[in-house]
Amino acid sequence: MSNPDEAATHNGDAGPSAMAFTPPAYVENPTPALGFGVSSITRRWKREELFNKGSLIARGFAFLLSLLSFIITASNKHGDWRNFDNYEEYRYLLAIAILSTLYTGIQALIHVNALWNVKQILNQRISAMVDFVGDQVMSYLLISSVSAAIPLTNRMREGQDNAFTDSSASAISMSFFAFLTLAISAVVSGYKLSTQSYI
Amino acid sequence: MSNPDEAATHNGDAGPSAMAFTPPAYVENPTPALGFGVSSITRRWKREELFNKGSLIARGFAFLLSLLSFIITASNKHGDWRNFDNYEEYRYLLAIAILSTLYTGIQALIHVNALWNVKQILNQRISAMVDFVGDQVMSYLLISSVSAAIPLTNRMREGQDNAFTDSSASAISMSFFAFLTLAISAVVSGYKLSTQSYI
């Protein structure tokens, strides 16, 4: 009579034997629930890792593209009227390309750090918020600068094609591809932000 | 000895009395979990209702604003060079205003219907996806058309202010406010889309 469980199982009375049937059901029940919980958590982790890598790659591409746009626009000086800084559209394009280069560069660095180091749980929600707002605002700014620069370039190229208009066109397309990658990144970080609160 | 539970409770032995302590814990445990579940579900419903109403209001405003932008741009004909259709920027602004009016009008109608009728569970996920993609693409198009039209208007107003440039400026600001409301609506529908899959 040292082990109470054993005593209950070997007891022939109706009362304790009815009690003895409950423990197996009570023990077996949690097992599938636990298995389901663990597998859904690992699936979640895998999905989050995929998203983290995906958004890091998207930001890396956006960084390269906006750096290219920045360099091409800034070096687009061919003398006389063919200087980018005579036109507010190109100055706007340059300003947004610089902003986007800085933003995506810093974001890529932060996310590379986050991949190697242990994450801080407390800051995750704030950083997800910053990611989403930053990506969204930056992609609106990029599409805005591209749209402002296109009509001017169009009008110039109706007259003639030269190194100046070609450089402008390539800077515009670089900014546009940077916009595309950042727009995708904004969707991913929006998803991450909205699922963050349920952890 | 007819009731096994009563028998276990009144039994003085160490074994059955240890067993008798578990049923109350086993019965009492689910109660707070159930209460928590129900309150979290009602909270979720309330939040979803708020979001539905909020996005309906945002779409209504976006519809009004893009309709205004459409009417102002389309009626912006003052003869000679002061016709909107001489400039590709204003034609683009008009085209996007028309698209946005149609999109937000149809969306508002669909959402008003959805508020009164019983919702179809099967279509919810698809409609959430359409909402999100539509809002996001439409807000990119609106900010793009606004950005394209601003530099031209700026340059014209440096020379002179007249009814033509003033109408252009007001159409641009209407489109900009339509962009703002649709951008907010895109964030809400993105949130709805990402929480939809867990119902």
Side-chain angles (χ1 to χ4, degrees):
Chain A
M1 291 297 273
S2 60
N3 192 342
D5 278 350
E6 240 183 68
T9 317
H10 292 290
N11 199 331
D13 282 4
S17 89
M19 292 299 296
F21 273 112
T22 40
Y26 184 60
V27 170
E28 266 181 87
N29 256 342
T31 322
L34 187 73
F36 174 73
V38 166
S39 83
S40 86
I41 285 170
T42 52
R43 240 186 299 133
R44 194 203 177 90
W45 279 349
K46 272 182 196 158
R47 197 173 54 203
E48 272 178 10
E49 212 184 296
L50 185 75
F51 277 159
N52 278 339
K53 275 186 192 158
S55 67
L56 180 61
I57 291 167
R59 289 219 178 79
F61 270 111
F63 170 71
L64 277 181
L65 289 164
S66 39
L67 186 67
L68 273 176
S69 171
F70 158 41
I71 291 170
I72 294 170
T73 311
S75 61
N76 199 7
K77 291 196 151 189
H78 300 271
D80 201 19
W81 62 271
R82 292 169 300 176
N83 285 338
F84 81 90
D85 47 7
N86 289 336
Y87 306 95
E88 60 175 356
E89 288 92 336
Y90 294 146
R91 290 200 301 267
Y92 182 41
L93 188 69
L94 178 71
I96 299 300
I98 292 174
L99 254 183
S100 170
T101 308
L102 288 177
Y103 170 75
T104 51
I106 290 170
Q107 277 279 18
L109 279 180
I110 289 171
H111 281 257
V112 165
N113 256 341
L115 272 190
W116 305 139
N117 299 340
V118 179
K119 284 179 204 168
Q120 292 163 292
I121 302 289
L122 263 178
N123 291 338
Q124 265 193 355
R125 213 182 134 74
I126 296 163
S127 84
M129 187 88 82
V130 169
D131 278 14
F132 172 64
V133 173
D135 286 0
Q136 191 77 82
V137 168
M138 208 64 237
S139 51
Y140 284 133
L141 285 176
L142 277 170
I143 189 72
S144 163
S145 72
V146 166
S147 309
I150 283 175
L152 180 69
T153 314
N154 255 4
R155 211 159 280 155
M156 277 179 184
R157 296 187 89 170
E158 276 172 15
Q160 55 177 316
D161 269 341
N162 53 29
F164 179 63
T165 57
D166 286 352
S167 301
S168 311
S170 61
I172 288 169
S173 44
M174 291 301 143
S175 276
F176 182 72
F177 287 120
F179 152 72
L180 278 187
T181 49
L182 261 187
I184 292 167
S185 173
V187 171
V188 172
S189 51
Y191 178 80
K192 278 196 325 209
L193 175 67
S194 58
T195 52
Q196 198 90 51
S197 47
Y198 298 115
I199 289 176
Chain B
M1 290 297 275
S2 61
N3 191 343
D5 278 350
E6 238 184 71
T9 317
H10 292 291
N11 200 332
D13 281 6
S17 88
M19 293 298 296
F21 273 111
T22 40
Y26 182 60
V27 170
E28 267 181 88
N29 256 343
T31 321
L34 187 73
F36 174 73
V38 166
S39 82
S40 85
I41 285 170
T42 53
R43 239 186 300 132
R44 191 201 180 94
W45 280 348
K46 272 183 197 158
R47 196 174 54 203
E48 272 178 10
E49 212 184 297
L50 186 75
F51 276 159
N52 279 339
K53 275 187 192 157
S55 67
L56 180 60
I57 291 168
R59 289 217 178 81
F61 269 111
F63 170 71
L64 277 181
L65 290 164
S66 37
L67 186 67
L68 272 176
S69 171
F70 159 40
I71 291 170
I72 294 169
T73 310
S75 60
N76 199 6
K77 291 195 151 190
H78 300 271
D80 203 19
W81 61 270
R82 291 169 302 175
N83 286 338
F84 81 91
D85 47 5
N86 289 335
Y87 307 94
E88 60 175 357
E89 288 90 337
Y90 293 146
R91 290 200 301 267
Y92 181 41
L93 187 69
L94 178 71
I96 300 299
I98 291 173
L99 256 183
S100 169
T101 309
L102 287 176
Y103 170 74
T104 51
I106 291 169
Q107 277 280 20
L109 278 180
I110 289 172
H111 280 257
V112 164
N113 256 342
L115 271 191
W116 304 140
N117 298 342
V118 179
K119 283 179 203 169
Q120 292 163 291
I121 302 291
L122 264 178
N123 291 339
Q124 266 193 355
R125 212 181 135 74
I126 296 163
S127 84
M129 186 89 81
V130 169
D131 278 13
F132 173 64
V133 172
D135 287 0
Q136 190 78 81
V137 168
M138 208 62 238
S139 53
Y140 284 133
L141 284 176
L142 277 170
I143 188 73
S144 163
S145 72
V146 166
S147 309
I150 284 175
L152 179 69
T153 314
N154 254 4
R155 211 159 280 156
M156 278 180 184
R157 295 187 92 170
E158 276 171 14
Q160 53 176 318
D161 270 341
N162 52 30
F164 178 62
T165 58
D166 285 352
S167 300
S168 311
S170 61
I172 288 169
S173 44
M174 289 302 142
S175 276
F176 182 73
F177 287 120
F179 151 71
L180 278 187
T181 49
L182 261 187
I184 292 167
S185 173
V187 171
V188 171
S189 50
Y191 178 79
K192 276 191 339 202
L193 175 67
S194 58
T195 51
Q196 198 90 50
S197 48
Y198 298 117
I199 289 176

